Amino acid sequence: MSLPLDGVRVLDFGWVNAGPKGTRYLSSYGADVIHLEWKARLDILRVNSPQHPMPEGTPPGPSVNRGSSFNTNHAGKWGVSLNMRDPKGKEIFKRLLQTADIVVENYSATTMESWGFGWETMRSIRPDIVYIQAPGFGRKGPYGTYRTYGPTAAAIGGLTYQVGLPDRYPCGYGVSFMDGVGPYFIASAAMGALRQRDRTGRGVYVDLSQVGPAVLLTGTSIPEWSANGTAYVRTGNRSPYIPAAPHGVYACEGDEKWIAIACSTEEHWQALVGVMGDPDWAKRPEFSTLEERCAHQDELDALAESWTRGQERYDLMARLQSVGVPAGVCQDTRDRYETDPQLAHRRYFVRARHSEVPDYDIEGHPTLFSDTDPSPLGRTGMGAACYGEHNARIYGELLGIADAELAALSEAEVI
């Protein structure tokens, strides 16, 4: 089936999360992605993420091929090993570069240059190459050589400060949020740069950071400050911009079962009151208008939750949605994976085969096309590659290196 990036080849030096996920999205759109790595500096997710469960009788201990996070990030890609510090390794990379359209890396800012492959060198080898460099703070600027992970980028970008309860310290998100958001900017930058390359015939260098996308996600906080001098104040679950009440997460029947409800109009409120059975407390003057409800949110939340605690959360979501009230169950991993009918209908989880671990399910691509759907299994039709699994295929079939030379390169620790 035809996909948007058919015929595009990507050399992927993605590391940890942001880079690998970005190139996985390109793979999902049909690009031929080759992930390059070297054993002296393995991706930390190969060994530090949860290990796939293995069949009884499997030798104990961690394996570089069983890291579940790594295997999710690198599904659908070819995997090769290459020593970029070795002169022969550099020559092999030059040959690969001549076949490629895009190079993506999210190492610290000077790593590729230290190997002798900055932007100027790469485009001297392949004049129309697209090179996407995505260190945490970007390459240019006073922070250009600073090191970071997703939580650091979220903090510098302002997201961490905005998340939390009003009377507590900023807590940020419970996961490395920018490692989930940054990849979309990498993928979109790659496709935009590719379009520019195709229009002009010239290569494109993209200097991308994770901090920049974090700033974009902070809502109207910067316009509020620049226009009005108004500082952002943490509001917890409550809307900081659009008046809404009730607006929060409320306990339901059972242990750790919750539902989110947002009433921003009088119609929402009246519909919620109807589903609640028109309780007497809802007729009190302090709840008579949206302005009054916002002014008395603490009391309103307590009363609303006294009712939601007796409700089964999925049933309550269906009843509220049926009358137009925005409401959604707070789903945990089991809910999403085993019971969510919407995700199941959209075939969101995909079974991946792997050369070492048992078949496993991974998150699919969230877009559906009219003619064909992007697949996280990419051109390989598989989950992630084992370390160096496709050396013979890429170096032998693509570059034409003979088996005897491949064996010698392996013995010399070049591949």
Side-chain angles (χ1 to χ4, degrees):
M1 295 181 291
S2 178
L3 285 164
L5 295 182
D6 282 352
V8 172
R9 176 166 293 130
V10 180
L11 302 184
D12 170 26
F13 287 97
W15 166 259
V16 190
N17 277 314
K21 287 180 179 177
T23 52
R24 199 189 96 166
Y25 298 149
L26 299 177
S27 172
S28 296
Y29 283 132
D32 203 40
V33 178
I34 302 171
H35 179 242
L36 301 97
E37 57 183 335
W38 185 240
K39 60 186 179 181
R41 189 175 182 264
L42 283 175
D43 192 313
I44 58 175
L45 296 184
R46 269 200 178 276
V47 291
N48 290 347
S49 66
Q51 297 271 295
H52 283 279
M54 299 297 291
E56 187 176 349
T58 303
S63 162
V64 298
N65 298 319
R66 299 176 193 170
S68 60
S69 295
F70 180 92
N71 287 346
T72 295
N73 289 347
H74 291 278
K77 306 176 188 178
W78 309 109
V80 299
S81 52
L82 183 64
N83 186 350
M84 291 290 290
R85 297 190 180 278
D86 187 284
K88 292 182 179 179
K90 296 177 192 292
E91 290 303 313
I92 290 174
F93 176 68
K94 290 178 183 179
R95 294 175 63 181
L96 281 175
L97 186 62
Q98 290 168 344
T99 76
D101 299 284
I102 303 172
V103 175
V104 177
E105 55 96 354
N106 65 313
Y107 294 137
S108 56
T110 59
T111 297
M112 290 297 287
E113 293 172 16
S114 73
W115 292 340
F117 291 100
W119 162 235
E120 296 297 335
T121 301
M122 277 198 268
R123 70 172 174 171
S124 71
I125 298 167
R126 173 81 189 221
D128 63 347
I129 196 69
V130 170
Y131 172 34
I132 298 178
Q133 188 175 24
F137 291 97
R139 179 64 181 93
K140 300 172 185 176
Y143 292 175
T145 59
Y146 284 16
R147 295 171 182 250
T148 184
Y149 286 97
T152 321
I156 292 290
L159 278 176
T160 302
Y161 181 85
Q162 292 187 195
V163 179
L165 297 173
D167 57 345
R168 301 294 300 278
Y169 49 80
C171 65
Y173 292 86
V175 295
S176 184
F177 190 67
M178 294 315 300
D179 280 332
V181 174
Y184 287 101
F185 287 85
I186 290 174
S188 64
M191 289 185 278
L194 195 65
R195 172 67 172 159
Q196 181 174 333
R197 189 280 304 265
D198 291 345
R199 288 175 54 245
T200 65
R202 298 191 301 271
V204 181
Y205 169 63
V206 178
D207 180 3
L208 178 66
S209 76
Q210 286 197 66
V211 172
V215 174
L216 290 175
L217 296 172
T218 58
T220 63
S221 61
I222 289 178
E224 280 287 338
W225 177 262
S226 63
N228 304 318
T230 304
Y232 184 93
V233 177
R234 287 185 292 280
T235 59
N237 287 319
R238 294 171 182 170
S239 172
Y241 306 121
I242 301 172
H247 185 280
V249 176
Y250 304 92
C252 290
E253 183 182 81
D255 183 40
E256 286 290 319
K257 308 300 181 185
W258 309 82
I259 190 169
I261 301 173
C263 294
S264 60
T265 68
E266 191 63 31
E267 288 76 19
H268 292 158
W269 168 247
Q270 292 300 334
L272 173 62
V273 169
V275 172
M276 290 191 296
D278 200 23
D280 290 339
W281 60 260
K283 302 181 179 66
R284 287 160 49 177
E286 56 265 40
F287 304 139
S288 59
T289 66
L290 178 56
E291 183 178 7
E292 288 289 342
R293 290 192 292 275
C294 288
H296 297 87
Q297 284 193 76
D298 288 341
E299 187 177 4
L300 178 58
D301 282 347
L303 289 166
E305 189 166 82
S306 69
W307 174 74
T308 61
R309 282 187 180 277
Q311 308 297 314
E312 198 284 320
R313 55 189 177 138
Y314 282 99
D315 174 70
L316 178 56
M317 178 177 73
R319 286 188 289 141
L320 291 174
Q321 287 284 352
S322 70
V323 294
V325 177
V329 168
C330 297
Q331 297 197 130
D332 59 23
T333 304
R334 180 177 181 179
D335 296 328
R336 286 175 287 150
Y337 181 64
E338 295 186 358
T339 64
D340 188 302
Q342 181 72 6
L343 292 176
H345 179 82
R346 294 173 67 87
R347 304 184 303 279
Y348 191 71
F349 297 105
V350 178
R351 179 56 56 98
R353 291 180 295 116
H354 189 275
S355 299
E356 181 172 318
V357 307
D359 292 355
Y360 61 99
D361 285 346
I362 58 175
E363 300 91 341
H365 199 77
T367 58
L368 302 179
F369 286 11
S370 57
D371 296 326
T372 184
D373 296 335
S375 169
L377 302 183
R379 283 297 169 206
T380 71
M382 296 278 290
C386 294
Y387 177 76
E389 181 173 351
H390 299 121
N391 283 0
R393 182 185 185 107
I394 299 302
Y395 298 140
E397 297 179 20
L398 178 62
L399 299 187
I401 300 175
D403 290 347
E405 185 178 354
L406 288 177
L409 290 168
S410 179
E411 180 69 21
E413 303 241 312
V414 177
I415 65 172

